[in-house]
Amino acid sequence: MPAGRFRPLPGLSGAQPGASGFPDRAQMGAGPGAGGRMIQPTVIATLIHDAFADYHARFAEITQRARHRFETMDWAGARADAVERIELYDECIAECALRLQAALLDHAHDRTLWSAVRDGYDRLIADLIDRELYKTFYNTLTRRFFKTRGVDPSIEFIAMDVEPTDAITHPVARHSYAVSEQRPTDTFVRVLGDYRFDIPYAHRTRCAASIAIRLQDDLAHWGENPVRGIELLDTVFYRERRAYLIGRVFGEHRFSPCVIALVNDGGKLKAEAVLTRRGDVAHLFGTSRSYFHADLSTVGDAVVFLRSLLPGKPIDEIYTVLGRAKQGKTERFRTFFHHFDTQAGEQLVQAEGTPGMVMAVFTLPSYPLVFKIIRDRFAYPKEVSRKDVEDRYNLVFHLDRVGRLLDTQPYRFLRFPRARFAPALLEELRSTCGHGITEDGDDLIIHLCYVQRRLRPLNLYLREQKPEAALAAAIDYGQAVKDMARNNIFPGDMLLKNFGVSRHGRAVFYDYDELCLVTDCHFRDWPQPTCYEEEMADGPWFYVGPGDVFPERFPQFLGLPAPQASALRAAHGDLFRAGWWRDLQARLAAGDYPDTPPYPDALKLA
């Protein structure tokens, strides 16, 4: 459906939509002064309910394309689908808001009416597994109508102390298998056969045997005949160029995650990898990657199952990685502020690391998030504007992040008690971010901030680690730049302070104020001086355009000690040649995006 076009919603309870798609005034009842009849809250509640159902159906419609994209190797189409699905939520909210405005007219900001609508809406969704997703949709609408700052419990859904999945006992649909001790390969032949694709396996039995052998090897520490059973979600998960069968493998007394990765190799299916370690699966589900396309009829029960595989992963990140970014944002808010309220004596402080010229960054030490606020003015040599920064953070939200860009969520009008800010932080915000904050009584309201998971800054990490770990991190930094570049992402500012190290030791980029597309850059060789004056000049003696990049000069600005610099150059020296970047630009312009597997070659099957 073309963007901006309304999709007809189901008829409202007790009323049929008019030709415009909106209930007419006679059907809904008019407010005072327009016939004397009052608008029925249940009618408005049903309109919002049906609008979310429409969003959910359209979300599924896009998601269901993933199988065909995978089978036909239509990777460009898959990238377009990812962007379309990300944009769908705001599109549907805007459509519903127009319908509500037309239906409510001069009652659009009647709090008494909206309170009754919320109660009626709550009754409509009471028995649904995914009622929390419906509530988030409703809250988004109220915040748009009332431009809410902070939280408004009179018209919003508020549940700070209860996780939305706590009451879910409905088991997610799955396949279960007993694994034969004598013929385990036969079991996995059946497993692969139960997931239907319109392309054949290159050799299903060989794939099944490789899976069985890998599981036996990985889980040998469980004892003799370690693999007794396996269960996998009915739903296939798709992302980038792979399809994943997600589940768990059972031994006699324990279980472990089990993820089978499938690839399309020239029109033939192959099992490429099996992941059984929680760290590897957590990385696959990390928020430094783009979202999965998984055609789940309900989401909450899948979240419950995935948490059994990854008990250390926050619930907000699981919702987000399933493509429910708005629900992930809601859960991140809920879990943070619940923790914040229980730590009444702890203050918000400036985050560790080199202070940024564009962002002020603060954190609560006991909770792994950072809050980033755009400063009022940027120090030289920064030439970006506030809008440039906002646009670049929005760009990252739409990109395939290939495990190297941290997912970032924007929050508007967050309200904190002013007393919870450490004095030095409060002074920094007042002096450098004054245009982006408002002091309201005893509270401080932040107009816009970006929230990310807290990572250890790479420049600090390298100083703290033993030499071997520091060398590995420096090399992975180079791999991070290369991974991003192969997906048309240039970090702009490659300084180590703009990268962090994840819990699993992976270099991740998190500072986006100078990020751009590789195809928008002009990569140049550094000119050789032609005379003594040029050779002795303090700066460039030649014209440098705004998009010019000189890869040969990168090492001079990194500040790496000699052993780490040498290791980086040995492993990724092509990053420092303009020709490598220009060749990559040509590939990207032709639509040839190199594959970036989400796991190391060591985890691939023979």
Side-chain angles (χ1 to χ4, degrees):
M1 187 176 70
R5 295 282 301 280
F6 292 139
R7 173 178 295 204
L9 296 179
L12 302 178
S13 300
Q16 293 298 318
S20 65
F22 304 125
D24 62 29
R25 298 280 287 178
Q27 291 163 343
M28 292 192 59
R37 295 178 60 194
M38 299 299 296
I39 293 173
Q40 297 299 314
T42 54
V43 174
I44 302 302
T46 303
L47 189 156
I48 298 172
H49 171 278
D50 292 348
F52 180 83
D54 178 61
Y55 160 71
H56 191 64
R58 291 159 68 176
F59 184 98
E61 184 180 294
I62 298 170
T63 302
Q64 288 162 6
R65 299 176 199 158
R67 173 179 159 180
H68 181 70
R69 304 294 193 195
F70 174 73
E71 291 170 341
T72 59
M73 303 176 68
D74 182 6
W75 313 131
R79 286 194 300 272
D81 287 346
V83 173
E84 181 181 350
R85 201 180 68 169
I86 285 170
E87 294 175 345
L88 180 65
Y89 189 91
D90 282 340
E91 181 183 324
C92 290
I93 284 288
E95 292 176 6
C96 186
L98 286 175
R99 290 187 174 96
L100 289 171
Q101 189 69 56
L104 294 168
L105 296 178
D106 53 341
H107 293 274
H109 300 94
D110 183 336
R111 290 181 178 275
T112 302
L113 173 61
W114 275 96
S115 181
V117 170
R118 179 197 58 196
D119 295 342
Y121 188 77
D122 195 25
R123 289 189 291 272
L124 279 176
I125 65 174
D127 296 328
L128 301 178
I129 289 176
D130 285 334
R131 55 187 173 273
E132 296 303 322
L133 276 70
Y134 282 81
K135 289 179 182 179
T136 294
F137 191 83
Y138 175 92
N139 282 354
T140 302
L141 286 164
T142 67
R143 297 179 73 82
R144 298 282 173 93
F145 270 86
F146 290 93
K147 303 188 186 311
T148 307
R149 297 190 173 197
V151 175
D152 188 344
S154 67
I155 58 174
E156 292 184 40
F157 288 100
I158 306 296
M160 293 294 292
D161 55 343
V162 179
E163 286 198 356
T165 58
D166 281 355
I168 295 177
T169 57
H170 179 277
V172 67
R174 67 193 83 175
H175 294 298
S176 297
Y177 308 86
V179 178
S180 167
E181 293 182 15
Q182 287 74 37
R183 300 176 65 86
T185 296
D186 291 351
T187 302
F188 290 102
V189 167
R190 186 155 57 91
V191 167
L192 297 178
D194 284 344
Y195 291 88
R196 300 296 181 182
F197 296 92
D198 288 338
I199 55 175
Y201 279 88
H203 201 299
R204 193 166 78 188
T205 302
R206 192 173 298 160
C207 288
S210 296
I211 294 168
I213 291 169
R214 175 56 60 86
L215 289 174
Q216 295 283 343
D217 290 346
D218 282 359
L219 305 174
H221 60 284
W222 286 4
E224 189 177 0
N225 299 316
V227 180
R228 304 299 180 88
I230 187 169
E231 64 179 16
L232 299 166
L233 294 178
D234 277 2
T235 302
V236 179
F237 284 48
Y238 296 90
R239 189 174 62 194
E240 297 156 353
R241 303 189 184 193
R242 287 162 180 80
Y244 299 93
L245 311 183
I246 308 286
R248 49 194 176 187
V249 57
F250 294 91
E252 186 175 1
H253 302 294
R254 64 186 85 179
F255 75 89
S256 175
C258 180
V259 176
I260 300 171
L262 306 177
V263 294
N264 183 343
D265 185 6
K268 299 289 182 67
L269 283 174
K270 289 184 179 180
E272 183 182 62
V274 176
L275 312 181
T276 59
R277 294 196 299 264
R278 278 197 170 88
D280 295 325
V281 178
H283 172 61
L284 185 71
F285 280 83
T287 55
S288 60
R289 292 198 166 273
S290 54
Y291 308 143
F292 283 107
H293 284 233
D295 186 25
L296 299 161
S297 57
T298 51
V299 183
D301 49 348
V303 171
V304 171
F305 182 83
L306 292 171
R307 289 198 84 188
S308 74
L309 308 183
L310 301 167
K313 183 163 283 293
I315 190 172
D316 61 274
E317 294 187 4
I318 297 178
Y319 271 110
T320 297
V321 82
L322 292 178
R324 303 293 182 162
K326 190 65 70 172
Q327 189 63 32
K329 184 176 175 180
T330 296
E331 293 310 312
R332 175 168 275 184
F333 174 92
R334 184 188 62 77
T335 53
F336 171 78
F337 276 98
H338 176 66
H339 177 86
F340 185 71
D341 290 343
T342 63
Q343 305 294 315
E346 186 177 17
Q347 289 194 312
L348 298 160
V349 299
Q350 294 156 318
E352 288 189 89
T354 307
M357 291 185 283
V358 172
M359 295 280 197
V361 186
F362 66 88
T363 188
L364 188 72
S366 64
Y367 202 84
L369 293 179
V370 294
F371 299 79
K372 307 172 73 170
I373 308 175
I374 303 174
R375 299 188 190 275
D376 297 335
R377 293 173 297 278
F378 309 146
Y380 178 83
K382 296 290 185 180
E383 297 180 351
V384 295
S385 67
R386 171 180 288 270
K387 185 178 185 305
D388 291 334
V389 175
E390 292 184 21
D391 287 347
R392 286 165 185 173
Y393 274 77
N394 186 54
L395 173 64
V396 170
F397 184 56
H398 290 76
L399 288 173
D400 179 356
R401 296 187 296 278
V402 296
R404 298 298 190 172
L405 294 170
L406 204 56
D407 191 48
T408 305
Q409 295 168 322
Y411 288 81
R412 295 186 182 275
F413 302 113
L414 284 184
R415 182 183 290 267
F416 293 89
R418 186 169 55 233
R420 296 294 297 274
F421 288 84
L425 172 60
L426 186 59
E427 174 57 28
E428 179 186 17
L429 297 182
R430 284 170 169 166
S431 61
T432 70
C433 305
H435 296 162
I437 63 174
T438 298
E439 298 192 48
D440 181 20
D442 292 332
D443 292 340
L444 187 127
I445 299 172
I446 298 174
H447 300 175
L448 170 65
C449 70
Y450 296 96
V451 179
Q452 295 175 327
R453 173 173 275 277
R454 186 174 65 221
L455 302 182
R456 190 65 176 159
L458 179 58
N459 58 327
L460 301 183
Y461 182 88
L462 292 175
R463 297 174 200 162
E464 298 161 351
Q465 298 302 307
K466 294 180 179 179
E468 286 186 7
L471 282 177
I475 292 170
D476 194 54
Y477 158 81
Q479 188 62 53
V481 175
K482 196 171 284 186
D483 288 349
M484 288 189 289
R486 288 170 172 163
N487 281 271
N488 202 16
I489 303 162
F490 182 65
D493 191 339
M494 294 175 59
L495 296 178
L496 303 178
K497 69 182 181 68
N498 297 324
F499 289 76
V501 181
S502 74
R503 291 172 294 171
H504 307 294
R506 189 172 176 83
V508 178
F509 187 61
Y510 53 56
D511 195 340
Y512 306 144
D513 52 83
E514 292 194 19
L515 178 144
C516 61
L517 302 181
V518 169
T519 48
D520 288 342
C521 298
H522 182 208
F523 293 98
R524 295 178 56 186
D525 296 292
W526 187 261
Q528 296 301 309
T530 59
C531 62
Y532 177 78
E533 288 76 12
E534 291 177 351
E535 185 173 352
M536 300 304 295
D538 291 335
W541 62 92
F542 48 86
Y543 174 73
V544 178
D548 287 351
V549 180
F550 298 92
E552 184 182 340
R553 312 293 283 185
F554 291 166
Q556 297 184 20
F557 301 100
L558 298 183
L560 285 171
Q564 297 169 19
S566 297
L568 175 63
R569 188 176 289 278
H572 302 294
D574 41 7
L575 291 175
F576 311 130
R577 293 190 298 102
W580 183 86
W581 291 90
R582 290 194 292 263
D583 290 344
L584 178 61
Q585 284 180 314
R587 290 186 63 180
L588 296 172
D592 180 13
Y593 281 64
D595 182 29
T596 309
Y599 34 73
D601 288 346
L603 293 179
K604 292 182 179 180
L605 300 173

